[in-house]
Amino acid sequence: MAEASGDGGMEDKISALPDELLIHVLSHLRSREAVHTCVLARRWRDLWQWVPCIDVSFKEFADMPYEDDDEDDFEFKKFVNRLLMLRRPVDLEAFRLEYRLPTDGDYAEDDSAGANLWIAHVLQYKAQAVKVVTQNEYLQLAPSVFTSAYLKRLHICNANLIQGFFKHLQMGCPVLEYLLLSNTNIQDLDIFSNTLKALTLADDVMFSFNNGDQASISAPNLTSLSFEWCPSAARLPVLKNMTSLETASVVLLWGTIRYCDADGIKQFLGGLSHVRSLNFCYGVKKVEMKDNYRWCPTFGNLINLTLHSSCVHGDFYALIVFLQNSPSLKKLTLELYQREYQTQDIPTITGELEDRSFTCEQLEIVEIICSEGNELLPWVNQFLLDSGIRPDQMRVIYED
């Protein structure tokens, strides 16, 4: 950091850098670390106050040798309050918060008040990205705090989103483009947004309402949709106004959707029919399509398709139907994984086809991803060859 100068003194090379560069460096540190730099030299005393990013976590106080178990939370909240009070009134780029709620059974909504107050405060300073992660109980987020003409990215983990949350988000955050929800409890029946471009629902998102109700998601400007772990609900959600959607990744597994039938699958996939890239993993339960039921829409724009092993069971029925309805497909990826099922319990979509042929004139490559020795691989290889796929179009990638 320093080296000897000609007159025997010490020349501080880093402190000689312009303030803008030093503040940029500090913005990549946790806020507590940035504040600690004030002791380095006089030049650094106030630089942390100008940092446009706030990143605070209760974990930085959890390992301190406090006498009282609750003292670490008290010190954390005290630090954040002082930080927000003493920093300069400069616009914020990002706010990241890791918050902890009590686990002693005395949890109340008031315990969420601090986090709600901080979120409202940073949004007053034009924060463009907000990430809130909570440990233990659900954070009770107040919809009213999300009022900002500047918020573009929002990531919420482990929170309760009360009824009316998405209506307020639509009105209060008119430029919100990216929304990621994980481990959240959603009480709204409808998710609606005119501004969202990317929506991710991950890790045990739960729709909490009557079993007979069906959730809906409507986002006319959405280009990317990801169900990394399909929301827990009685039925598959209805996807509306998805004409701008370009990429979708959907994981439907047993235990998350309690009721799944042919109509529900048709309705759900119909909302994805405009995508150019689709990753579809089905594993809810065995569903039989009868009487040549047209459950699969025509994917006229689809170029890249990824399917999983459930689509090759049932005599390749689901795979064939997808290929018959993907006239523009250029790349097909099959991810073959092996799970222990009794034959009759394999969760797949089955049925009878009068015509099992398909023509993918633009198909360039079929990529198969599996472990070495996968029992499905020879069977899949033979099916592809018999269907007219050339050996030079096929590539196998072995993964552990």
Side-chain angles (χ1 to χ4, degrees):
M1 183 169 178
E3 66 180 26
S5 62
D7 58 2
M10 300 294 289
E11 182 182 358
D12 187 343
K13 293 293 188 182
I14 293 182
S15 293
L17 296 173
D19 285 356
E20 293 78 7
L21 185 54
L22 294 178
I23 292 171
H24 177 73
V25 172
L26 292 180
S27 68
H28 290 80
L29 300 178
R30 281 276 176 88
S31 293
R32 195 177 187 215
E33 296 172 331
V35 171
H36 285 168
T37 62
C38 70
V39 301
L40 293 178
R42 183 183 301 272
R43 170 77 188 287
W44 293 79
R45 182 174 298 172
D46 300 324
L47 284 179
W48 66 270
Q49 297 177 352
W50 299 91
V51 174
C53 300
I54 296 176
D55 187 351
V56 288
S57 172
F58 73 90
K59 294 177 182 178
E60 294 184 281
F61 296 81
D63 296 330
M64 302 296 289
Y66 298 118
E67 295 181 3
D68 192 295
D69 291 340
D70 296 329
E71 193 173 351
D72 55 345
D73 283 331
F74 174 81
E75 291 296 329
F76 168 62
K77 294 175 181 178
K78 177 181 175 182
F79 169 77
V80 178
N81 286 329
R82 293 278 292 169
L83 174 73
L84 297 178
M85 181 175 65
L86 295 176
R87 69 180 300 274
R88 300 290 181 174
V90 295
D91 292 349
L92 280 169
E93 296 174 3
F95 174 64
R96 294 179 289 272
L97 168 66
E98 287 188 275
Y99 197 76
R100 181 172 63 183
L101 292 169
T103 57
D104 56 8
D106 294 329
Y107 170 71
E109 289 191 13
D110 289 346
D111 294 308
S112 298
N116 282 306
L117 183 64
W118 298 338
I119 295 169
H121 181 89
V122 300
L123 289 179
Q124 290 179 0
Y125 286 94
K126 304 179 182 179
Q128 298 179 43
V130 170
K131 179 179 181 180
V132 181
V133 179
T134 315
Q135 183 170 300
N136 301 331
E137 303 289 341
Y138 277 148
L139 181 68
Q140 304 299 314
L141 279 177
S144 58
V145 306
F146 292 97
T147 303
S148 170
Y150 303 92
L151 182 64
K152 293 183 178 181
R153 294 177 175 269
L154 178 59
H155 179 173
I156 299 172
C157 178
N158 205 28
N160 184 45
L161 309 183
I162 65 172
Q163 194 167 11
F165 180 87
F166 289 96
K167 181 178 180 180
H168 182 87
L169 201 63
Q170 163 73 9
M171 296 185 299
C173 300
V175 298
L176 185 66
E177 295 181 348
Y178 303 92
L179 177 61
L180 191 157
L181 302 176
S182 60
N183 289 298
T184 55
N185 181 42
I186 299 173
Q187 297 184 22
D188 274 319
L189 192 60
D190 301 311
I191 297 177
F192 176 81
S193 173
N194 278 327
T195 62
L196 280 182
K197 294 182 178 179
L199 173 63
T200 299
L201 303 180
D203 299 332
D204 295 332
V205 171
M206 178 181 297
F207 287 104
S208 180
F209 37 73
N210 295 329
N211 285 341
D213 294 330
Q214 186 173 20
S216 70
I217 302 173
S218 177
N221 289 304
L222 199 70
T223 59
S224 175
L225 175 66
S226 178
F227 286 177
E228 295 180 4
W229 184 275
C230 186
S232 296
R235 303 165 65 188
L236 286 169
V238 178
L239 305 180
K240 302 177 180 179
N241 301 320
M242 296 286 180
T243 54
S244 299
L245 199 61
E246 296 180 0
T247 64
S249 178
V250 178
V251 178
L252 306 177
L253 296 179
W254 180 87
T256 57
I257 301 298
R258 295 186 292 277
Y259 180 75
C260 186
D261 62 1
D263 290 337
I265 293 173
K266 177 181 179 179
Q267 192 175 53
F268 182 80
L269 288 177
L272 305 176
S273 60
H274 295 278
V275 297
R276 294 171 58 84
S277 178
L278 174 62
N279 181 346
F280 183 71
C281 177
Y282 178 85
V284 181
K285 68 172 187 176
K286 185 176 181 179
V287 175
E288 183 177 359
M289 303 297 179
K290 298 180 179 180
D291 302 321
N292 288 308
Y293 183 70
R294 289 190 58 81
W295 56 272
C296 183
T298 298
F299 292 97
N301 301 325
L302 190 62
I303 295 175
N304 297 314
L305 174 63
T306 298
L307 297 174
H308 296 252
S309 55
S310 62
C311 289
V312 306
H313 288 289
D315 199 21
F316 299 99
Y317 170 80
L319 173 59
I320 293 172
V321 173
F322 270 105
L323 294 177
Q324 287 177 338
N325 288 279
S326 304
S328 303
L329 193 66
K330 293 185 177 181
K331 181 180 179 181
L332 171 66
T333 301
L334 299 175
E335 295 188 4
L336 308 181
Y337 56 89
Q338 292 174 288
R339 296 181 61 179
E340 295 297 327
Y341 294 114
Q342 294 182 4
T343 303
Q344 66 271 22
D345 294 329
I346 294 175
T348 188
I349 302 171
T350 66
E352 297 293 333
L353 288 170
E354 294 181 357
D355 179 13
R356 291 176 58 87
S357 64
F358 58 87
T359 302
C360 296
E361 295 180 352
Q362 300 185 47
L363 187 64
E364 298 173 357
I365 185 170
V366 178
E367 191 172 85
I368 303 172
I369 301 174
C370 64
S371 59
E372 290 195 45
N374 187 291
E375 295 178 359
L376 295 175
L377 181 58
W379 188 39
V380 171
N381 272 336
Q382 191 60 52
F383 166 78
L384 294 172
L385 291 171
D386 292 343
S387 300
I389 306 299
R390 302 190 312 273
D392 62 293
Q393 292 178 287
M394 298 163 56
R395 179 172 63 188
V396 179
I397 298 176
Y398 293 108
E399 293 185 352
D400 293 335

